[in-house]
């Protein structure tokens, strides 16, 4: 099988004008693009692996694959190389990814926190607590002082964060606005919840210290990383935030019984499990945006295969 693969790979290289067979003389982007173009079954082969999210981006790229394997106009060929090479690089990234999602237990809070954007210690002392963060696509923990808190009370999941930041830059708009003006393009907290671990449906809640909130509903498709079902869901989520000399704080309360799950017919109870991921969006003064999570996360906050398994304790 291995010899057959390299034989096919060599043949594909010969089909592209200007390419020579030796790998050391080839263009790395072209090599990756050709591999992606030839792998029609890439999404299926990566199913249930850390690479699934990236591999699904190969679906729908048949025309670009054909252009790349033929002799199209230069501009179309270059676009095909860039698109398919990026997909293949992201798939390859997963082959070196060691982290596997872990399980966390979310404590029951004796008293519901007052959502005011101020982290009073007596409100959160019983919560699950995690410090520091990982930049997306990295397994190296950063000692950045990030604080992540999670607990539940009654029917509600409570989340709070404190992010160290000397250059707070917020965005306030939602759907319909230019990408760079949306909440996730500035300093913000993103909460992802997948109520049923075997369901393709999940929710995203974005909040910033200014009290802006954006609630969305998504679904994972067989041939696509995700599709947004609702860009402005009407869930009664409550959030507040604040800033000080160290950075900013965000508190958010999510009513679990409003999420499509068993919680629609009965209250949340001890032992219930679901998938959860928290992501920090950090916009620097020079316009560069980076994202972080409390545990290693591959690709993006929409990658449901990297979510934590959360259990109500």
């Amino acid at each position: 099988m291995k010899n057959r693969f390299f034989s096919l790979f060599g043949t594909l290289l010969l089909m592209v004008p200007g390419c020579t067979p030796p790998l050391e003389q080839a263009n790395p982007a072209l090599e990756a693009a050709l591999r992606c173009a030839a792998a029609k079954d890439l999404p299926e082969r990566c199913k249930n692996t850390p690479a699934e999210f990236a591999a699904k981006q190969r679906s729908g790229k048949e025309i670009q694959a054909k252009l790349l394997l033929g002799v199209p106009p230069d501009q179309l060929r270059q676009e095909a190389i860039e698109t398919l090479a990026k997909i293949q690089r992201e798939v390859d990234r997963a082959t070196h990814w060691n982290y596997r999602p872990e399980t966390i237990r979310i404590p029951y809070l004796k008293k519901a926190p007052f959502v005011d954007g101020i982290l009073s210690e007596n409100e959160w002392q019983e919560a699950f607590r995690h410090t520091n963060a990982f930049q997306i696509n990295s397994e190296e923990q950063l000692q950045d002082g990030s604080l992540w808190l999670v607990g539940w009370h009654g029917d509600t999941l409570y989340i709070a964060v404190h992010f160290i930041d000397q250059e707070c830059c917020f965005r306030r708009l939602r759907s319909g606005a230019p990408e760079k003006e949306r909440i996730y393009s500035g300093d913000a907290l993103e909460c992802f919840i997948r109520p049923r671990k075997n369901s393709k449906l999940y929710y995203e809640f974005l909040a910033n210290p200014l009290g802006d909130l954006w609630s969305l509903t998504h679904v994972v498709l067989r041939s696509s990383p995700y599709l947004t079902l609702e860009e402005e869901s009407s869930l009664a989520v409550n959030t507040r935030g604040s800033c000080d000399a160290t950075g900013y704080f965000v508190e958010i309360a999510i009513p679990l019984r409003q999420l499509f799950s068993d919680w629609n017919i009965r209250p949340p109870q001890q032992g219930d499990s679901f998938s959860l991921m928290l992501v920090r969006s950090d916009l620097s003064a020079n316009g560069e945006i980076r994202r972080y999570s409390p545990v290693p996360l591959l690709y993006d906050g929409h990658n449901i295969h990297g979510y934590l398994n959360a259990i109500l304790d």
Side-chain angles (χ1 to χ4, degrees):
M1 177 63 73
K2 183 176 181 181
N3 291 333
R4 287 178 60 192
F5 170 78
F6 283 109
S7 176
L8 173 62
F9 185 63
T11 301
L12 291 174
L13 287 176
L14 288 173
M15 293 173 63
V16 181
C19 282
T20 53
L23 293 180
E24 63 272 12
Q25 298 179 23
N27 182 322
L30 179 58
E31 291 178 20
L34 285 169
R35 287 170 56 203
C36 190
K40 297 180 180 179
D41 62 340
L42 190 62
E44 190 63 30
R45 287 196 285 109
C46 292
K47 188 175 183 180
N48 297 323
T49 75
E52 181 175 342
F53 180 86
K56 283 184 175 179
Q57 297 176 61
R58 169 62 173 79
S59 298
K61 301 297 188 297
E62 286 72 20
I63 292 178
Q64 287 182 302
K66 290 179 181 178
L67 288 173
L68 184 57
L69 296 176
V71 188
D74 290 344
Q75 181 177 351
L76 293 178
R77 179 171 174 269
Q78 185 58 37
E79 290 176 357
I81 290 174
E82 292 173 359
T83 298
L84 296 172
K86 182 178 185 299
I87 294 172
Q88 189 61 53
R89 285 196 299 268
E90 290 302 304
V91 170
D92 291 342
R93 187 197 298 271
T95 63
H96 305 290
W97 191 251
N98 297 312
Y99 176 80
R100 293 297 181 268
E102 57 192 81
T103 297
I104 65 169
R105 306 193 73 87
I106 300 178
Y108 189 84
L109 307 177
K110 295 178 182 178
K111 183 179 179 181
F114 181 59
V115 180
D116 57 0
I118 300 173
L119 272 60
S120 301
E121 182 60 30
N122 60 338
E123 292 181 320
W124 292 97
Q125 60 184 356
E126 302 158 347
F128 169 83
R129 179 183 296 257
H130 185 87
T131 55
N132 299 319
F134 295 81
Q135 187 169 349
I136 299 298
N137 290 327
S138 172
E139 296 183 84
E140 180 179 353
Q141 188 177 49
L142 303 174
Q143 305 298 315
D144 66 350
S146 295
L147 175 63
W148 317 74
L149 300 165
V150 187
W152 69 292
H153 180 89
D155 297 344
T156 305
L157 182 72
Y158 292 90
I159 297 169
V161 296
H162 175 209
F163 296 142
I164 307 300
D165 197 333
Q166 303 301 317
E167 301 175 327
C168 294
C169 304
F170 307 120
R171 299 293 180 263
R172 309 198 64 173
L173 302 182
R174 298 186 289 276
S175 60
E179 188 87 5
K180 64 180 181 179
E181 297 300 326
R182 299 184 182 186
I183 293 176
Y184 57 71
S185 293
D187 292 339
L189 170 67
E190 294 181 88
C191 305
F192 296 87
I193 296 180
R194 187 185 182 194
R196 290 175 173 168
K197 290 190 294 182
N198 295 325
S199 172
K200 303 300 183 182
L201 185 73
Y202 67 101
Y203 299 84
E204 177 185 11
F205 306 100
L206 297 106
N208 64 25
L210 304 179
D212 298 310
L213 174 71
W214 189 8
S215 301
L216 304 97
T217 306
H218 309 287
V219 64
V220 176
L221 302 180
R222 180 176 182 180
S223 59
S224 177
Y226 72 95
L227 173 71
T228 300
L229 296 179
E230 289 185 295
E231 288 196 345
E232 297 285 353
S233 59
S234 57
L235 301 174
V237 178
N238 184 25
T239 184
R240 291 291 185 277
S242 63
C243 303
D244 66 10
T246 65
Y248 65 92
F249 304 81
V250 174
E251 290 183 307
I252 185 168
I254 302 171
L256 296 178
R257 293 199 71 175
Q258 293 189 28
L259 308 184
F260 185 75
S261 66
D262 293 341
W263 296 323
N264 295 141
I265 56 178
R266 65 160 176 80
Q269 60 189 31
Q270 188 178 32
D272 285 350
S273 63
F274 60 99
S275 298
L276 173 70
M277 181 50 64
L278 305 177
V279 174
R280 173 191 180 182
S281 294
D282 180 33
L283 177 63
S284 66
N286 64 7
E288 182 181 6
I289 189 163
R290 296 180 180 177
R291 290 186 167 83
Y292 304 86
S293 51
V295 296
L297 178 64
L298 192 61
Y299 304 134
D300 187 84
H302 290 279
N303 180 15
I304 64 171
H305 306 287
Y307 289 4
L308 291 163
N309 176 40
I311 299 177
L312 299 181
D313 214 353

